[in-house]
Amino acid sequence: MKIILVTLLLALTTLSYSQTIQDIEFVNKIYQIKYPKNWQLDSSKTMGTDLLLFAPLENESDKFRENVNIIIQNLAGQNIDLEKYKLITDKQLENAALDAKVSESEIVKTGNESFYRTTYAMTQGKLKLKISSKCFIKNDKAFLVTFTSEIEKYDSYKKIGEEILNTFRLRK
């Protein structure tokens, strides 16, 4: 029994370590972001995104690929700063789904960088999802970087999801 437990712990440690290595950096003229080499990049701008990063499927029965996406919203002429963006988003989340539950919603200031961070859970179709995002505002544009996971898998993917979100940088 102890051998099985030790083997299981070693396998989990190896799996979590391999999921945190960020070998690839995507860079364009607006932003940059790092992600693990086993994740798939989609820059085709599908579904209103500027960029999608997909985790590999876990097995043949896996129905949802955890992902990080980047959406750029034009805010020109709307006079929206981070505080106003937070208020609008918090209100939208209340109305997004009957079961939406916000666990985090705050403006974070680190050095000379500020962003709005939120984490919430909701049902979308048959999927129960947990979502963490960061929003940066620059030059009348909102840059929303979002990590989405099935709620029951969130804790397994949280570390790598947050690491990817934390590598996002706006360029000059």
Side-chain angles (χ1 to χ4, degrees), residues 56-110:
L57 289 172
E58 295 174 7
N59 54 47
E60 292 176 9
S61 64
D62 195 354
K63 303 278 188 247
F64 181 82
R65 291 174 74 183
E66 280 61 30
N67 64 81
V68 170
N69 70 66
I70 299 173
I71 296 174
I72 302 174
Q73 298 172 306
N74 186 353
L75 304 176
Q78 298 179 52
N79 195 27
I80 296 177
D81 60 6
L82 281 176
E83 290 289 339
K84 192 167 183 181
Y85 193 93
K86 178 187 178 307
L87 291 172
I88 292 168
T89 302
D90 288 348
K91 188 68 170 168
Q92 287 175 340
L93 288 174
E94 286 177 22
N95 300 322
L98 296 174
D99 66 342
K101 291 181 178 56
V102 177
S103 57
E104 178 182 41
S105 176
E106 65 181 339
I107 304 247
V108 177
K109 296 177 183 176
T110 58

Side-chain angles (χ1 to χ4, degrees), residues 34-146:
K34 293 180 182 178
Y35 61 96
K37 67 180 177 180
N38 64 339
W39 283 47
Q40 178 187 350
L41 177 121
D42 179 350
S43 58
S44 66
K45 301 187 186 294
T46 23
M47 300 182 286
T49 63
D50 197 69
L51 184 81
L52 280 162
L53 300 169
F54 290 104
L57 289 172
E58 295 174 7
N59 54 47
E60 292 176 9
S61 64
D62 195 354
K63 303 278 188 247
F64 181 82
R65 291 174 74 183
E66 280 61 30
N67 64 81
V68 170
N69 70 66
I70 299 173
I71 296 174
I72 302 174
Q73 298 172 306
N74 186 353
L75 304 176
Q78 298 179 52
N79 195 27
I80 296 177
D81 60 6
L82 281 176
E83 290 289 339
K84 192 167 183 181
Y85 193 93
K86 178 187 178 307
L87 291 172
I88 292 168
T89 302
D90 288 348
K91 188 68 170 168
Q92 287 175 340
L93 288 174
E94 286 177 22
N95 300 322
L98 296 174
D99 66 342
K101 291 181 178 56
V102 177
S103 57
E104 178 182 41
S105 176
E106 65 181 339
I107 304 247
V108 177
K109 296 177 183 176
T110 58
N112 46 348
E113 178 180 71
S114 296
F115 58 90
Y116 163 60
R117 177 173 51 207
T118 186
T119 301
Y120 57 97
M122 64 183 280
T123 302
Q124 186 176 31
K126 294 181 180 181
L127 295 171
K128 294 190 181 300
L129 303 174
K130 189 160 182 181
I131 300 154
S132 294
S133 66
K134 290 175 138 182
C135 176
F136 302 83
I137 294 181
K138 184 177 179 180
N139 300 329
D140 286 328
K141 291 185 180 167
F143 299 87
L144 188 62
V145 187
T146 304

